[in-house]
Amino acid sequence: MRDYEFTFNATTGAGGVTVTCKMSYERDEHGAYFENIEDVTYEGISIMGLLVDEQFADLEMVGVNKLRQHLAEEKDRAQEP
């Protein structure tokens, strides 16, 4: 299997700051799996070590949902004439 990358923006923290997340995943004919956030940056600086478990889990959930939406839109575009 080949690893894929997906980058998305999300908000986190008490102030709701926008961060950029880089997620890797694998993909087959059934869809994406093994989704994992590789890095989270704020204004270009990695903040992975500063996130608490709850924040990381929330970002991962947001990422999985955004990835599913992205893949569905990609599939729809591929079926357009």
Side-chain angles (χ1 to χ4, degrees):
M1 299 296 157
R2 190 174 136 218
D3 283 346
Y4 294 86
E5 262 186 24
F6 177 66
T7 302
F8 64 95
N9 292 325
T11 57
T12 190
V17 297
T18 301
V19 295
T20 301
C21 303
K22 182 172 69 171
M23 176 178 272
S24 66
Y25 64 99
E26 293 187 25
R27 185 175 175 181
D28 64 11
E29 64 274 1
H30 302 291
Y33 60 99
F34 290 142
E35 300 93 342
N36 184 47
I37 292 180
E38 297 293 327
D39 197 18
V40 179
T41 58
Y42 173 70
E43 295 184 355
I45 300 169
S46 178
I47 60 167
M48 280 290 285
L50 303 175
L51 298 173
V52 296
D53 290 342
E54 184 178 296
Q55 285 176 298
F56 188 80
D58 288 344
L59 289 173
E60 209 162 40
M61 182 176 60
V62 168
V64 168
N65 289 331
K66 286 188 177 200
L67 176 60
R68 285 185 183 151
Q69 180 181 1
H70 170 75
L71 293 175
E73 290 170 357
E74 187 178 80
K75 184 178 178 181
D76 290 343
R77 280 191 301 271
Q79 293 176 354
E80 291 177 359

